[in-house]
Coordinates of all heavy atoms in Angstrom, one line a residue:
T1 N 0.8 -1.2 0.0 CA 0.0 0.0 0.0 C 0.9 1.3 0.0 O 0.6 2.2 -0.7 CB -0.9 0.0 1.2 OG1 -1.8 -1.2 1.2 CG2 -1.8 1.2 1.2
R2 N 2.0 1.2 0.8 CA 2.9 2.4 0.8 C 3.5 2.6 -0.5 O 3.7 3.7 -1.0 CB 3.9 2.2 1.9 CG 3.3 2.2 3.3 CD 4.4 1.9 4.3 NE 3.7 1.7 5.7 CZ 4.2 1.0 6.6 NH1 5.4 0.4 6.5 NH2 3.6 0.9 7.8
K3 N 4.0 1.5 -1.2 CA 4.6 1.6 -2.5 C 3.6 2.2 -3.5 O 4.0 3.0 -4.3 CB 5.1 0.3 -3.0 CG 6.4 -0.2 -2.3 CD 6.9 -1.5 -3.0 CE 8.1 -2.0 -2.3 NZ 8.6 -3.2 -3.0
E4 N 2.4 1.7 -3.5 CA 1.4 2.2 -4.4 C 1.1 3.6 -4.2 O 0.9 4.4 -5.2 CB 0.1 1.3 -4.2 CG -1.0 1.7 -5.2 CD -2.2 0.8 -5.1 OE1 -2.3 -0.1 -4.2 OE2 -3.2 1.1 -5.8
A5 N 1.0 4.1 -3.0 CA 0.8 5.5 -2.7 C 1.9 6.4 -3.3 O 1.6 7.4 -3.9 CB 0.7 5.8 -1.2
Y6 N 3.1 5.9 -3.1 CA 4.3 6.7 -3.7 C 4.2 6.7 -5.2 O 4.3 7.7 -5.9 CB 5.6 6.1 -3.2 CG 6.8 6.5 -4.0 CD1 7.3 7.8 -3.9 CD2 7.4 5.6 -4.9 CE1 8.4 8.2 -4.7 CE2 8.5 6.0 -5.7 CZ 8.9 7.3 -5.6 OH 10.0 7.7 -6.3
L7 N 4.0 5.5 -5.8 CA 4.0 5.4 -7.3 C 2.9 6.2 -7.9 O 3.0 6.8 -9.0 CB 4.0 3.9 -7.7 CG 5.2 3.1 -7.4 CD1 5.0 1.7 -7.7 CD2 6.4 3.7 -8.2
K8 N 1.7 6.3 -7.3 CA 0.6 7.1 -7.7 C 1.0 8.6 -7.6 O 0.7 9.4 -8.4 CB -0.7 6.8 -7.0 CG -1.2 5.4 -7.4 CD -2.5 5.1 -6.7 CE -3.2 3.9 -7.2 NZ -4.4 3.6 -6.5
A9 N 1.6 8.9 -6.5 CA 2.0 10.3 -6.3 C 3.0 10.9 -7.3 O 2.9 12.0 -7.7 CB 2.6 10.5 -4.9
I10 N 3.9 10.0 -7.8 CA 4.8 10.5 -8.8 C 4.2 10.3 -10.2 O 4.9 10.6 -11.2 CB 6.2 9.8 -8.7 CG1 6.1 8.3 -8.9 CG2 6.8 10.1 -7.4 CD1 7.5 7.6 -9.1
G11 N 3.0 9.8 -10.3 CA 2.3 9.8 -11.6 C 2.5 8.5 -12.4 O 2.2 8.5 -13.6
L12 N 3.1 7.5 -11.8 CA 3.4 6.3 -12.6 C 2.5 5.1 -12.3 O 2.5 4.1 -13.0 CB 4.9 5.8 -12.4 CG 5.9 6.8 -12.9 CD1 7.3 6.3 -12.6 CD2 5.8 7.0 -14.4
G13 N 1.9 5.2 -11.2 CA 1.0 4.0 -10.8 C 1.8 2.7 -10.7 O 3.0 2.7 -10.4
L14 N 1.2 1.7 -11.1 CA 1.8 0.4 -11.0 C 2.6 0.0 -12.3 O 2.9 -1.2 -12.5 CB 0.8 -0.7 -10.6 CG 0.2 -0.5 -9.2 CD1 -0.8 -1.6 -8.9 CD2 1.3 -0.5 -8.1
Y15 N 2.9 1.0 -13.1 CA 3.7 0.7 -14.3 C 5.1 0.4 -14.0 O 5.9 -0.2 -14.7 CB 3.6 1.8 -15.3 CG 2.2 1.9 -16.0 CD1 1.3 2.9 -15.7 CD2 1.9 1.0 -17.0 CE1 0.1 2.9 -16.3 CE2 0.6 1.0 -17.6 CZ -0.3 2.0 -17.2 OH -1.5 2.0 -17.8
R16 N 5.6 1.0 -12.9 CA 7.0 0.8 -12.5 C 7.1 -0.6 -11.8 O 6.2 -1.1 -11.2 CB 7.4 1.9 -11.4 CG 7.7 3.2 -11.9 CD 9.2 3.3 -12.4 NE 10.2 2.9 -11.5 CZ 10.6 3.6 -10.5 NH1 10.2 4.8 -10.3 NH2 11.6 3.2 -9.7
N17 N 8.3 -1.1 -11.9 CA 8.6 -2.3 -11.2 C 8.7 -2.1 -9.7 O 9.4 -1.2 -9.2 CB 10.0 -2.9 -11.7 CG 10.2 -4.3 -11.1 OD1 9.7 -4.7 -10.1 ND2 11.1 -5.0 -11.9
L18 N 7.9 -2.8 -8.9 CA 7.8 -2.6 -7.5 C 9.1 -2.9 -6.8 O 9.4 -2.4 -5.7 CB 6.7 -3.4 -6.8 CG 5.3 -3.1 -7.3 CD1 4.3 -4.0 -6.6 CD2 5.0 -1.6 -6.9
R19 N 10.0 -3.7 -7.4 CA 11.3 -4.0 -6.8 C 12.2 -2.8 -6.9 O 13.3 -2.8 -6.2 CB 11.9 -5.2 -7.6 CG 11.2 -6.5 -7.4 CD 11.8 -7.6 -8.1 NE 11.0 -8.7 -8.1 CZ 11.4 -10.0 -8.2 NH1 12.6 -10.2 -8.3 NH2 10.5 -11.0 -8.1
D20 N 11.9 -1.8 -7.7 CA 12.8 -0.6 -7.8 C 12.5 0.4 -6.6 O 13.3 1.3 -6.4 CB 12.5 0.2 -9.1 CG 13.0 -0.6 -10.3 OD1 13.8 -1.5 -10.1 OD2 12.6 -0.3 -11.4
V21 N 11.5 0.1 -5.9 CA 11.0 1.0 -4.8 C 11.1 0.3 -3.5 O 10.7 -0.9 -3.4 CB 9.6 1.6 -5.0 CG1 9.2 2.4 -3.9 CG2 9.5 2.3 -6.4
S22 N 11.6 0.9 -2.4 CA 11.7 0.3 -1.1 C 11.1 1.3 -0.1 O 11.4 2.4 0.0 CB 13.2 0.1 -0.8 OG 13.3 -0.3 0.5
V23 N 10.2 0.7 0.7 CA 9.6 1.4 1.9 C 9.6 0.5 3.0 O 9.6 -0.8 2.9 CB 8.1 1.8 1.6 CG1 8.0 2.8 0.5 CG2 7.2 0.7 1.3
P24 N 9.8 1.0 4.2 CA 9.8 0.1 5.4 C 8.5 -0.7 5.5 O 7.4 -0.2 5.2 CB 9.9 1.1 6.6 CG 10.6 2.3 6.0 CD 10.0 2.4 4.6
I25 N 8.6 -1.9 5.9 CA 7.4 -2.8 6.0 C 6.9 -2.9 7.4 O 5.8 -3.4 7.7 CB 7.6 -4.2 5.4 CG1 8.8 -4.9 6.1 CG2 7.8 -4.0 3.9 CD1 9.0 -6.3 5.6
G26 N 7.7 -2.5 8.4 CA 7.3 -2.5 9.8 C 6.7 -1.2 10.3 O 6.2 -0.5 9.5
T27 N 6.7 -1.1 11.5 CA 6.1 0.2 12.1 C 7.2 1.1 12.7 O 6.9 2.0 13.4 CB 5.1 -0.2 13.2 OG1 5.8 -1.0 14.2 CG2 4.0 -1.0 12.7
E28 N 8.5 0.9 12.4 CA 9.5 1.8 12.8 C 9.5 3.0 12.0 O 9.5 3.0 10.8 CB 10.9 1.1 12.7 CG 11.1 0.0 13.7 CD 12.5 -0.5 13.6 OE1 13.4 0.2 13.2 OE2 12.7 -1.7 14.0
L29 N 9.5 4.2 12.7 CA 9.4 5.5 12.0 C 10.8 6.1 11.9 O 11.7 5.7 12.7 CB 8.5 6.4 12.8 CG 7.0 6.0 12.9 CD1 6.3 6.9 13.8 CD2 6.4 6.1 11.5
N30 N 11.0 7.0 11.0 CA 12.2 7.7 10.8 C 12.4 8.6 12.1 O 11.5 9.2 12.6 CB 12.2 8.6 9.6 CG 12.1 7.9 8.3 OD1 12.6 6.8 8.2 ND2 11.3 8.4 7.4
G31 N 13.7 8.7 12.5 CA 14.0 9.5 13.6 C 13.7 11.0 13.3 O 13.3 11.8 14.2
D32 N 14.0 11.4 12.1 CA 13.8 12.9 11.7 C 12.3 13.2 11.5 O 12.0 14.4 11.6 CB 14.6 13.2 10.5 CG 16.1 13.1 10.7 OD1 16.5 13.2 11.9 OD2 16.8 12.9 9.7
S33 N 11.5 12.3 11.1 CA 10.1 12.6 10.8 C 9.3 11.6 11.5 O 9.1 10.5 11.1 CB 9.9 12.4 9.3 OG 8.6 12.7 8.9
P34 N 8.7 12.0 12.6 CA 8.0 11.1 13.5 C 6.7 10.5 12.9 O 6.2 9.6 13.5 CB 7.7 11.9 14.7 CG 7.7 13.3 14.2 CD 8.6 13.4 13.1
D35 N 6.2 11.0 11.8 CA 5.0 10.5 11.3 C 5.1 9.8 9.9 O 4.1 9.6 9.3 CB 3.9 11.6 11.2 CG 3.6 12.1 12.6 OD1 3.5 11.3 13.5 OD2 3.5 13.3 12.7
A36 N 6.3 9.7 9.4 CA 6.4 9.2 8.0 C 7.7 8.4 7.8 O 8.6 8.4 8.6 CB 6.5 10.4 7.1
W37 N 7.7 7.6 6.7 CA 8.8 6.8 6.3 C 9.4 7.3 5.0 O 8.6 7.7 4.1 CB 8.3 5.3 6.1 CG 7.9 4.6 7.3 CD1 8.7 3.9 8.1 CD2 6.5 4.5 7.8 NE1 7.9 3.3 9.1 CE2 6.6 3.7 8.9 CE3 5.3 5.0 7.4 CZ2 5.5 3.3 9.7 CZ3 4.2 4.7 8.1 CH2 4.3 3.9 9.3
L38 N 10.7 7.3 4.9 CA 11.3 7.8 3.6 C 11.2 6.6 2.6 O 11.4 5.5 2.9 CB 12.7 8.2 3.9 CG 12.9 9.4 4.7 CD1 14.4 9.7 4.9 CD2 12.2 10.6 4.1
V39 N 11.0 7.0 1.4 CA 11.0 6.1 0.2 C 12.3 6.0 -0.4 O 13.0 7.0 -0.5 CB 9.9 6.6 -0.8 CG1 10.0 5.7 -2.0 CG2 8.5 6.7 -0.2
R40 N 12.8 4.8 -0.7 CA 14.0 4.6 -1.5 C 13.6 4.1 -2.9 O 13.0 3.1 -3.0 CB 14.9 3.6 -0.8 CG 15.3 4.1 0.6 CD 16.5 3.3 1.1 NE 17.0 3.5 2.4 CZ 16.9 4.5 3.3 NH1 16.1 5.5 2.9 NH2 17.4 4.6 4.5
D41 N 14.0 4.9 -3.9 CA 13.7 4.7 -5.2 C 14.9 4.7 -6.0 O 15.6 5.7 -6.1 CB 12.7 5.7 -5.8 CG 12.2 5.4 -7.2 OD1 12.8 4.6 -7.9 OD2 11.2 6.1 -7.6
C42 N 15.3 3.6 -6.6 CA 16.6 3.5 -7.4 C 16.6 4.4 -8.6 O 17.7 4.8 -9.0 CB 16.9 2.0 -7.7 SG 15.9 1.4 -9.0
A43 N 15.5 4.8 -9.1 CA 15.4 5.7 -10.3 C 15.0 7.1 -9.9 O 15.1 8.0 -10.7 CB 14.4 5.1 -11.3
G44 N 14.5 7.3 -8.7 CA 14.0 8.6 -8.3 C 15.1 9.6 -8.0 O 16.2 9.2 -7.5
Q45 N 14.9 10.9 -8.3 CA 15.8 11.9 -8.0 C 15.4 12.7 -6.7 O 16.3 13.3 -6.1 CB 15.9 12.9 -9.2 CG 16.4 12.2 -10.4 CD 17.8 11.8 -10.4 OE1 18.6 12.4 -9.7 NE2 18.1 10.7 -11.0
D46 N 14.2 12.8 -6.4 CA 13.7 13.6 -5.3 C 13.5 12.8 -4.1 O 13.4 11.6 -4.1 CB 12.3 14.2 -5.7 CG 12.5 15.1 -6.9 OD1 13.5 15.8 -7.1 OD2 11.5 15.1 -7.8
L47 N 13.3 13.5 -3.0 CA 13.0 12.9 -1.7 C 11.5 12.8 -1.5 O 10.8 13.8 -1.6 CB 13.7 13.7 -0.6 CG 13.6 13.2 0.9 CD1 14.3 11.9 1.0 CD2 14.2 14.2 1.8
W48 N 11.0 11.6 -1.1 CA 9.6 11.4 -0.9 C 9.4 10.7 0.4 O 10.3 9.9 0.8 CB 9.0 10.6 -2.0 CG 8.8 11.4 -3.3 CD1 9.8 11.7 -4.2 CD2 7.6 11.9 -3.8 NE1 9.2 12.4 -5.2 CE2 7.9 12.6 -5.0 CE3 6.3 12.0 -3.3 CZ2 7.0 13.2 -5.8 CZ3 5.3 12.7 -4.1 CH2 5.7 13.3 -5.3
C49 N 8.3 10.8 1.0 CA 8.0 10.0 2.2 C 6.5 9.5 2.1 O 5.7 9.9 1.3 CB 8.1 10.8 3.5 SG 7.0 12.2 3.6
V50 N 6.3 8.5 2.9 CA 4.9 7.9 2.9 C 4.5 7.8 4.4 O 5.3 7.7 5.3 CB 4.9 6.5 2.3 CG1 5.1 6.5 0.8 CG2 5.8 5.5 2.9
G51 N 3.2 7.8 4.6 CA 2.7 7.6 5.9 C 1.4 6.9 5.9 O 0.7 6.8 4.8
D52 N 1.1 6.2 6.9 CA -0.2 5.4 7.0 C -1.4 6.3 7.3 O -1.2 7.2 8.1 CB 0.0 4.3 8.0 CG 1.0 3.2 7.6 OD1 1.3 3.2 6.4 OD2 1.4 2.5 8.5
V53 N -2.5 5.9 6.8 CA -3.8 6.6 7.1 C -4.5 5.6 8.0 O -4.7 4.4 7.6 CB -4.6 6.9 5.8 CG1 -5.9 7.5 6.1 CG2 -3.8 7.8 4.9
P54 N -5.0 6.0 9.1 CA -5.8 5.1 10.0 C -7.1 4.7 9.4 O -7.9 5.6 9.0 CB -5.9 5.9 11.3 CG -5.7 7.3 10.9 CD -4.9 7.4 9.7
V55 N -7.3 3.4 9.3 CA -8.6 2.9 8.7 C -9.0 1.7 9.6 O -8.3 1.3 10.4 CB -8.4 2.5 7.2 CG1 -8.2 3.7 6.4 CG2 -7.3 1.5 7.0
E56 N -10.2 1.2 9.3 CA -10.7 0.1 10.0 C -9.8 -1.1 9.9 O -9.1 -1.3 8.9 CB -12.1 -0.3 9.5 CG -13.2 0.8 9.9 CD -14.5 0.4 9.4 OE1 -14.8 -0.9 9.2 OE2 -15.4 1.3 9.1
T57 N -9.9 -2.0 10.9 CA -9.1 -3.3 10.9 C -9.5 -4.0 9.6 O -10.7 -4.1 9.3 CB -9.5 -4.1 12.1 OG1 -9.2 -3.3 13.3 CG2 -8.7 -5.4 12.2
G58 N -8.5 -4.6 9.0 CA -8.7 -5.4 7.8 C -8.5 -4.6 6.5 O -8.5 -5.1 5.4
Y59 N -8.2 -3.3 6.7 CA -8.0 -2.4 5.5 C -6.6 -1.7 5.7 O -6.1 -1.6 6.8 CB -9.1 -1.3 5.4 CG -10.4 -1.9 5.1 CD1 -11.3 -2.2 6.1 CD2 -10.8 -2.1 3.8 CE1 -12.5 -2.7 5.9 CE2 -12.1 -2.6 3.5 CZ -12.9 -2.9 4.6 OH -14.1 -3.5 4.3
S60 N -6.0 -1.2 4.6 CA -4.8 -0.4 4.8 C -4.9 0.8 3.8 O -5.5 0.7 2.7 CB -3.6 -1.3 4.5 OG -3.6 -1.7 3.2
A61 N -4.3 1.9 4.2 CA -4.3 3.1 3.4 C -3.0 3.8 3.7 O -2.5 3.8 4.8 CB -5.5 3.9 3.6
A62 N -2.5 4.5 2.7 CA -1.2 5.3 2.8 C -1.3 6.5 1.9 O -2.0 6.5 1.0 CB 0.0 4.4 2.5
V63 N -0.5 7.5 2.3 CA -0.4 8.7 1.5 C 1.1 9.0 1.3 O 1.9 8.6 2.2 CB -1.2 9.9 2.2 CG1 -0.5 10.2 3.6 CG2 -1.3 11.1 1.3
S64 N 1.4 9.7 0.2 CA 2.8 10.0 -0.1 C 2.9 11.5 -0.4 O 2.0 12.1 -0.9 CB 3.3 9.2 -1.2 OG 4.6 9.4 -1.5
S65 N 4.0 12.1 0.0 CA 4.3 13.5 -0.2 C 5.7 13.7 -0.6 O 6.6 13.0 -0.1 CB 3.9 14.2 1.0 OG 4.2 15.6 0.9
Q66 N 6.0 14.7 -1.4 CA 7.3 15.0 -1.8 C 8.0 15.8 -0.6 O 7.4 16.6 0.1 CB 7.4 15.9 -3.0 CG 8.7 16.1 -3.6 CD 8.7 16.7 -4.9 OE1 7.7 17.3 -5.3 NE2 9.8 16.7 -5.6
G67 N 9.2 15.4 -0.3 CA 10.0 16.0 0.8 C 10.2 15.0 1.9 O 9.9 13.8 1.7
D68 N 10.7 15.4 3.0 CA 11.0 14.5 4.1 C 10.0 14.4 5.2 O 10.1 13.8 6.2 CB 12.4 14.8 4.7 CG 12.5 16.1 5.4 OD1 11.5 16.9 5.3 OD2 13.5 16.4 6.1
R69 N 8.9 15.2 5.0 CA 7.8 15.2 6.0 C 6.5 15.2 5.3 O 6.3 15.8 4.3 CB 7.9 16.4 6.9 CG 9.1 16.5 7.8 CD 9.1 17.7 8.7 NE 10.3 17.7 9.6 CZ 10.3 17.0 10.7 NH1 9.3 16.3 11.1 NH2 11.4 17.0 11.4
L70 N 5.5 14.6 6.0 CA 4.1 14.7 5.5 C 3.5 15.9 6.2 O 3.8 16.2 7.4 CB 3.3 13.5 5.9 CG 3.6 12.2 5.2 CD1 2.9 11.1 5.8 CD2 3.3 12.3 3.7
G71 N 2.6 16.6 5.5 CA 1.8 17.6 6.1 C 0.8 17.0 7.1 O 0.7 15.7 7.1
R72 N 0.1 17.7 7.8 CA -0.9 17.1 8.7 C -2.1 16.6 7.9 O -2.7 17.4 7.1 CB -1.4 18.2 9.7 CG -2.3 17.6 10.7 CD -2.6 18.6 11.8 NE -3.5 18.0 12.8 CZ -4.6 18.5 13.2 NH1 -4.9 19.7 12.8 NH2 -5.3 17.9 14.1
L73 N -2.5 15.4 8.0 CA -3.6 14.8 7.3 C -4.7 14.6 8.3 O -4.5 13.9 9.3 CB -3.1 13.4 6.7 CG -4.2 12.6 6.1 CD1 -4.7 13.3 4.8 CD2 -3.7 11.2 5.7
V74 N -5.9 15.1 7.9 CA -7.1 14.9 8.7 C -8.1 14.3 7.8 O -8.4 14.8 6.8 CB -7.6 16.3 9.2 CG1 -8.9 16.1 10.0 CG2 -6.6 17.0 10.1
V75 N -8.6 13.1 8.3 CA -9.6 12.4 7.6 C -10.9 12.5 8.5 O -10.9 12.0 9.6 CB -9.3 10.9 7.4 CG1 -10.4 10.2 6.7 CG2 -8.0 10.8 6.6
A76 N -11.9 13.1 7.9 CA -13.1 13.3 8.7 C -14.3 12.7 8.0 O -14.4 12.7 6.8 CB -13.3 14.8 8.9
D77 N -15.2 12.2 8.8 CA -16.5 11.7 8.2 C -16.3 10.6 7.1 O -17.0 10.6 6.1 CB -17.4 12.8 7.7 CG -17.7 13.7 8.8 OD1 -17.9 13.3 10.0 OD2 -17.8 15.0 8.5
L78 N -15.3 9.8 7.3 CA -15.1 8.7 6.4 C -15.9 7.5 6.8 O -15.8 6.9 7.8 CB -13.6 8.3 6.3 CG -13.2 7.2 5.4 CD1 -13.4 7.6 4.0 CD2 -11.8 6.8 5.6
E79 N -16.8 7.1 5.9 CA -17.7 6.0 6.2 C -17.5 5.0 5.1 O -17.7 5.3 3.9 CB -19.1 6.4 6.3 CG -20.1 5.3 6.7 CD -21.5 5.8 6.9 OE1 -21.7 7.0 7.2 OE2 -22.4 5.0 6.7
M80 N -17.2 3.7 5.4 CA -17.0 2.7 4.4 C -18.1 1.7 4.5 O -18.5 1.3 5.6 CB -15.6 2.0 4.7 CG -14.5 2.9 4.6 SD -12.8 2.3 4.7 CE -12.9 0.8 5.6
K81 N -18.7 1.5 3.3 CA -19.8 0.5 3.3 C -19.6 -0.4 2.1 O -19.2 0.0 1.0 CB -21.2 1.3 3.1 CG -21.6 2.2 4.2 CD -22.9 2.8 3.8 CE -23.4 3.7 4.9 NZ -24.7 4.3 4.6
L82 N -19.9 -1.6 2.3 CA -19.9 -2.6 1.3 C -21.4 -2.7 0.7 O -22.3 -2.8 1.5 CB -19.5 -4.0 1.7 CG -18.1 -4.1 2.2 CD1 -17.8 -5.5 2.8 CD2 -17.1 -3.8 1.0
V83 N -21.5 -2.6 -0.6 CA -22.8 -2.6 -1.2 C -22.9 -3.7 -2.2 O -22.0 -4.2 -2.7 CB -23.2 -1.3 -1.9 CG1 -23.4 -0.2 -0.8 CG2 -22.2 -0.8 -2.8

């Protein structure tokens, strides 16, 4: 999910090889940025980070931003329904 958020943010979606991109898979955060993980991209020139979006158990969501920090993300009135 974190890789997908990054690849969509740079405009490539899943056309890039996922092996070219590295994001932490655990929950350890960067020391410099307490709310985000830095992305490692073998072809990328810029600094990007990803962060998790809190969602219901059983789901995952992430957001990506250029730079070494994410801005404050506020998700309000998010209701998920299966129809």
Side-chain angles (χ1 to χ4, degrees):
T1 300
R2 294 173 188 157
K3 284 184 182 186
E4 184 178 357
Y6 164 72
L7 291 172
K8 286 181 176 181
I10 64 170
L12 294 177
L14 296 178
Y15 288 105
R16 280 279 304 281
N17 187 338
L18 294 177
R19 292 178 189 208
D20 291 342
V21 177
S22 173
V23 298
I25 57 173
T27 56
E28 289 185 26
L29 296 170
N30 295 325
D32 295 336
S33 183
D35 298 318
W37 292 271
L38 293 180
V39 175
R40 296 199 188 336
D41 184 348
C42 70
Q45 300 292 327
D46 299 322
L47 183 63
W48 286 80
C49 63
V50 292
D52 292 342
V53 177
V55 292
E56 291 182 26
T57 302
Y59 296 92
S60 63
V63 63
S64 184
S65 177
Q66 192 170 14
D68 65 350
R69 294 185 179 274
L70 289 175
R72 185 168 181 233
L73 175 67
V74 177
V75 179
D77 298 325
L78 179 64
E79 186 176 331
M80 300 184 335
K81 293 183 182 179
L82 294 175
V83 290

